[in-house]
Amino acid sequence: MNIMDFNVKKLAADAGTFLSRAVQFTEEKLGQAEKTELDAHLENLLSKAECTKLWTEKIMKQTEVLLQPNPNARIEEFVYEKLDRKAPSRMNNPELLGQYMIDAGNEFGPGTAYGNALIKCGETQKRIGTADRELIQTSAINFLTPLRNFIEGDYKTITKERKLLQNKRLDLDAAKTRLKKAKVAEARAAIWAEEVTKSEQEVRITQSEFDRQAEITRLLLEGISSTHAHHLRCLNDFVEAQMTYYAQCYQYMLDLQKQLGSFPSTFLSNNNQSSSTPVQSVSTPVVLASASASLPSVTNSIVTSGIRELKSSSGSRNARVLYDYDAANSSELSLLADEVITVYSIPGMDSDWLMGERGNQKGKVPITYLELLN
């Protein structure tokens, strides 16, 4: 047999398989053929994966809008990313406003009160623009990229294996249909018994292939729980980046307010007020001040030193569960929010997990779902 004959036979076999699947699919839709149903656990995993993909896409797209409100700029960045080229550097809105203020201040004269104030405001706006760039860069690396990797990597693999599972199911049900027809024909003495035996063997083979593909798909889908744990860590990084950004902006504006407050009240008065009535200075928000002062403690709570100490020791600690967690397999422990469990580390364990115990039950638990207690 030459290569040409082999290719022709392979194409004919593929065409026959495709036609068989198409017929089976059509008959199922018309209610004329039986359909093998997936087990409930696998169906739940598929639903969880679809839900994760849907909301990950929405969160990712809206985060991009938040970080870059200009749709044209987002399209430009997307094109340059696909071309694997660096987008040209341009001033963002705060930097552009700051430059206009500085230019206007120099035009009016740095020695005048208004010109000097414009220059100081412009410099502050440019510092805010720099902080904005740092927020976008940090968020893109620590938050958006992991979400995009899930959509374009893990979920595409899940989709591919799920489609293969669907094809194996169609092959199995088509084989079952042919066996059923063969048995009916045998009862009518229309075919030899060898045909029934051949159909039965085909059903066994397709059943084995279907079971194997179902197991592969299940293992991939059970990784969604780990994906949630990873995305939770990325979310913490995003919150920390936003906290840093807003704290910087607040401090910049606080310094600017003090600088503007040093100008004579005559120049700070509103146009509708007499020059002898100074504008009341804006009081510093106590809430923001206290929030700014507490930033280090909030940051430290995201990655606690207690986790690192527990990892390096052989002891155990009590921990409060922050969120519900469904065990992905028998090696993990399901958790309920607000319950208290005992946790400890064992040699060779992944850095993102601890061993948890609740009574006679024990298993791996993700550290991002825990708060260590004193």
Side-chain angles (χ1 to χ4, degrees), residues 294-355:
S294 66
L295 279 178
S297 64
V298 176
T299 303
N300 290 338
S301 69
I302 296 175
V303 182
T304 62
S305 60
I307 293 290
R308 292 193 295 269
E309 293 174 0
L310 185 59
K311 281 283 186 181
S312 61
S313 69
S314 59
S316 62
R317 292 274 296 274
N318 287 336
R320 184 174 68 87
V321 178
L322 299 176
Y323 322 98
D324 289 346
Y325 177 74
D326 294 328
N329 51 56
S330 59
S331 67
E332 297 179 9
L333 180 66
S334 295
L335 303 173
L336 295 175
D338 295 325
E339 71 172 328
V340 176
I341 62 172
T342 302
V343 294
Y344 57 92
S345 181
I346 59 177
M349 176 166 281
D350 192 322
S351 60
D352 294 331
W353 297 81
L354 289 170
M355 286 299 296

Side-chain angles (χ1 to χ4, degrees), residues 272-303:
N272 296 328
Q273 295 174 321
S274 64
S275 60
S276 61
T277 306
V279 175
Q280 294 181 352
S281 61
V282 179
S283 60
T284 303
V286 178
V287 174
L288 286 177
S290 63
S292 177
S294 66
L295 279 178
S297 64
V298 176
T299 303
N300 290 338
S301 69
I302 296 175
V303 182

Side-chain angles (χ1 to χ4, degrees), residues 184-253:
V184 172
E186 182 189 34
R188 297 175 180 173
I191 62 171
W192 297 99
E194 287 79 1
E195 291 296 326
V196 176
T197 303
K198 181 180 177 182
S199 297
E200 289 175 342
Q201 183 180 7
E202 183 184 11
V203 169
R204 285 194 296 270
I205 293 173
T206 53
Q207 181 72 59
S208 175
E209 292 178 349
F210 170 76
D211 292 340
R212 177 177 176 276
Q213 185 58 40
E215 180 65 15
I216 293 173
T217 307
R218 183 186 63 79
L219 292 174
L220 282 172
L221 291 171
E222 286 179 345
I224 291 294
S225 295
S226 297
T227 299
H228 284 189
H230 177 52
H231 286 181
L232 176 57
R233 294 193 299 273
C234 297
L235 182 61
N236 285 334
D237 292 338
F238 179 54
V239 171
E240 185 175 355
Q242 283 186 306
M243 286 186 348
T244 301
Y245 169 72
Y246 289 118
Q248 286 178 325
C249 292
Y250 171 71
Q251 189 60 50
Y252 293 153
M253 298 310 296

